[in-house]
Amino acid sequence: MQGLLITLTALLMLAANPLQAQSNAEQSITVSAQTRPITVELDAVIEAVDAATLAAQTSGRVLNLYYDVNDFVEKDAVILEITRTQQSAAYAAAEAQLNQATAKNIEAQRHWQRLAKLYPQGAISKGQLDQAEADAKAAASAVNAAKASLIQAKETLDYTVVKAPFSGVVTQRHIHRGETINVGQALYSGYSLENMRAVANIPQRYLAMINSDTLFSLEQNGQVLQSQDYTLFSHADPQSHSFKIRLNLPNQAYQLYPGTWAKLSFSYGQRQQIWIPHSAVVQRNELSAVYRKTEQGYQLSQVRLGKVQDEQIQVLAGLEEGDEIALSAYQTLLNKE
């Protein structure tokens, strides 16, 4: 059926303008080798630099949940609230203890100062003065301890209101409204969309090709980002013998999402390569071929293809420099039929 459609199309084109069709079929190019950089392509995975799972720092019952999975959360926004009866009572008790310790400290300091004035007159003994001094120091220490307890109680009270540590997207909610939670229990998971990086595994044979001047390119959905900010791990995977590389990406013009695939590439050295226009290649299932010009006319010759760049495609095998091939493989195919 497909061959019939191609034949009909060719007949219509020839009927409309046979001279033009013949001219197109005769257009050819001479294959020449070009000096181009050697490029290594790797499969990379995008991951977020800032990703976290928030855990409960106090116990209680969940009162309110303000965000759910896939919601965007601004930094310092309240994402959930926990009951605070016990925490409020502990804070009030710590505050009262501080007030009590402060009052005792004031009295102890005044008593010590009074005895210090009487001692030179011989009205009190040295032991009484020393005891007053010790009491004053103990009272001052009690104030400091009460202040620390109040700070701790205030932090515990603040833990009943959970805020976002950074702006980002919620990926998982681990709790439900009304649920009783304990210290250390997971609450929310999420990541920031601001800072992304790419992680890939580099075969051992390419390590010597990487240096501080190496420029990496990351391609995804036709968009390209470049960066030289990378970290190469100093240990290899025992199974694949490859080294992990982590590439920090600049502020991108388009959005990247953690967990998605991308192509990571870098270039080193140069070598002679054959590149031809994409229009010169005809593909049928797994077969890639070009029409090479011979004494008997254009003959179909199988080729092994490599990378694609813009409107050109790399030929790894099947052509030599000086070969003449048809510029439009499909037009030649139509004319042959």
Side-chain angles (χ1 to χ4, degrees):
M1 183 65 181
Q2 185 176 4
L4 178 60
L5 291 176
I6 293 175
T7 303
L8 291 175
T9 305
L11 290 174
L12 289 174
M13 293 178 61
L14 289 171
N17 195 343
L19 295 178
Q20 181 65 35
Q22 183 180 1
S23 175
N24 288 340
E26 292 175 352
Q27 290 183 359
S28 63
I29 59 172
T30 301
V31 175
S32 61
Q34 307 171 20
T35 301
R36 293 200 179 190
I38 305 171
T39 303
V40 177
E41 289 189 350
L42 306 168
D43 290 328
V45 178
I46 306 299
E47 66 176 30
V49 176
D50 298 320
T53 295
L54 299 181
Q57 294 178 278
T58 186
S59 58
R61 183 170 52 84
V62 179
L63 285 179
N64 296 301
L65 296 170
Y66 297 105
Y67 294 93
D68 209 336
V69 176
N70 205 43
D71 288 343
F72 180 80
V73 184
E74 293 286 352
K75 182 180 179 181
D76 294 329
V78 177
I79 59 178
L80 69 88
E81 291 180 337
I82 305 170
T83 53
R84 54 194 303 169
T85 304
Q86 182 179 356
Q87 292 81 358
S88 297
Y91 178 78
E95 193 173 27
Q97 185 179 3
L98 176 60
N99 293 335
Q100 183 180 6
T102 302
K104 288 183 177 181
N105 180 52
I106 293 174
E107 177 58 29
Q109 301 301 326
R110 289 176 179 175
H111 181 63
W112 179 32
Q113 292 171 4
R114 286 194 300 265
L115 294 186
K117 293 179 181 179
L118 293 175
Y119 177 71
Q121 302 174 9
I124 61 171
S125 64
K126 184 66 168 61
Q128 289 177 305
L129 180 61
D130 292 342
Q131 182 62 46
E133 182 181 1
D135 292 342
K137 291 181 178 179
S141 297
V143 170
N144 291 332
K147 287 181 179 179
S149 298
L150 183 63
I151 292 174
Q152 184 177 5
K154 179 65 168 59
E155 276 201 16
T156 304
L157 181 61
D158 291 340
Y159 291 155
T160 60
V161 178
V162 181
K163 297 182 179 180
F166 48 75
S167 298
V169 176
V170 177
T171 57
Q172 191 170 0
R173 177 169 59 85
H174 303 278
I175 41 84
H176 302 276
R177 189 192 307 273
E179 182 179 347
T180 300
I181 59 175
N182 299 313
V183 176
Q185 184 173 344
L187 303 175
Y188 277 93
S189 296
Y191 62 83
S192 172
L193 294 173
E194 295 181 359
N195 299 316
M196 294 291 168
R197 61 192 179 194
V199 178
N201 291 317
I202 294 184
Q204 182 178 345
R205 62 183 180 275
Y206 294 124
L207 286 185
M209 314 302 176
I210 301 175
N211 53 52
S212 59
D213 295 327
T214 301
L215 179 64
F216 290 88
S217 296
L218 185 80
E219 181 179 358
Q220 187 184 76
N221 299 328
Q223 304 289 337
V224 179
L225 290 174
Q226 293 184 323
S227 175
Q228 290 181 297
D229 183 10
Y230 69 90
T231 300
L232 185 62
F233 286 37
S234 58
H235 57 278
D237 182 89
Q239 301 296 328
S240 63
H241 309 291
S242 61
F243 289 77
K244 181 175 289 186
I245 186 171
R246 190 168 58 202
L247 181 70
N248 294 320
L249 302 174
N251 293 330
Q252 56 268 20
Y254 68 99
Q255 191 62 64
L256 296 173
Y257 296 96
T260 57
W261 288 98
K263 282 293 183 183
L264 183 65
S265 61
F266 66 95
S267 300
Y268 69 94
Q270 290 183 334
R271 68 181 176 192
Q272 294 290 102
Q273 303 176 29
I274 293 178
W275 291 74
I276 61 175
H278 199 279
S279 61
V281 179
V282 61
Q283 291 180 315
R284 285 291 182 268
N285 298 326
E286 297 181 358
L287 173 67
S288 298
V290 297
Y291 279 99
R292 187 163 55 90
K293 192 173 184 180
T294 66
E295 294 181 356
Q296 291 76 30
Y298 285 102
Q299 301 293 327
L300 197 63
S301 298
Q302 185 176 356
V303 293
R304 184 159 60 92
L305 304 178
K307 305 179 184 66
V308 177
Q309 184 176 353
D310 297 329
E311 296 298 324
Q312 290 195 321
I313 188 167
Q314 184 184 17
V315 178
L316 301 177
L319 286 179
E320 295 181 358
E321 189 172 10
D323 287 344
E324 189 173 352
I325 61 174
L327 178 61
S328 177
Y330 284 98
Q331 185 63 53
T332 304
L333 174 63
L334 290 175
N335 290 334
K336 279 182 170 293
E337 294 188 4

